[in-house]
Every structure is written in C-alpha cells, then in structure tokens.
Amino acid sequence: MAEIQCGEDPEPSERFPAGPLFVPVRPGPARYVTRVFRTPLGDRTAVAFTSVDRLIAALGPQQVWIRLAGPALRALTEPLGVTAVTVDPAFTAPSVRPSPPAPPVRPVLPALAVRVG
C-alpha cells in the first residue's frame, strides 16, 4: 500500500491540460479579444481547445484563434468576472446575433515594436 507523506497534495494542482491551448478570439477595439461563451445554464465561460482540429470542428474554419497557456487564459478572463474555463466543448450553439466575417484561420501573432533612431 502506497503511503502519502505529509504535505503531499493527492489532487493535481493544475486545472488545465499540459501544453498550449487554442483559444478563439474576435476583433476588438485595439486588437483581438478572447471570446466568452455561455454554458447551457447561462453562466459565462472562457473556451479553449487542445487542438486546432477540435476548434474547427466546434466553431468552424473561419474562427480566428491564439495559443495561450491555461493560466494565461484565466488571467485574461478573471478580471471580466469569468471564472470558468471550458476545454474542448463538444457542442456550441450558433451566435444569437450575426458576427462580422472573420479572416481565414490563422494564429494571431503579437505585433513587434520597432524603434527607429
């Protein structure tokens, strides 16, 4: 029988899958912003996928995305009052209102600051 030593956490502390997640985004006033969805009960949740294929299967090929670690996604959404993160949702409902056409699927790359002079 295995023995648990004092101070050892029997539950995993990481709430996200290892590795980067593929997070759907939408155009915002400055750049892109993380999309927030609703659960079947109406609660707000951030959504992330463990692969581009899963993202495309759920949201379609036109969905723009970025790669983020789970803790970074939570850090972006918690100030908005969104504390839940749903990973690899199997079903999404269509948007209630039409969304603007999205550019072809591609990762969003951070802008590089160039200093002249």
Side-chain angles (χ1 to χ4, degrees):
M1 181 172 176
E3 184 179 313
I4 297 178
Q5 298 178 1
C6 291
E8 193 174 313
D9 186 3
E11 295 291 322
S13 60
E14 187 61 41
R15 296 181 282 185
F16 298 98
L21 295 171
F22 300 88
V23 178
V25 295
R26 63 178 178 76
R31 295 277 181 182
Y32 287 91
V33 295
T34 305
R35 286 187 62 189
V36 176
F37 294 79
R38 296 234 178 232
T39 67
L41 297 177
D43 298 324
R44 295 170 69 204
T45 183
V47 172
F49 297 86
T50 55
S51 74
V52 174
D53 291 338
R54 289 182 180 198
L55 181 141
I56 290 171
L59 300 175
Q62 297 303 313
Q63 177 60 57
V64 180
W65 53 270
I66 60 172
R67 287 176 66 171
L68 287 175
L73 176 58
R74 187 166 299 282
L76 286 173
T77 58
E78 279 182 346
L80 304 173
V82 179
T83 57
V85 175
T86 304
V87 177
D88 289 330
F91 172 75
T92 60
S95 178
V96 177
R97 58 191 145 135
S99 36
V105 173
R106 66 185 189 288
V108 177
L109 302 175
L112 298 176
V114 178
R115 187 173 178 177
V116 179

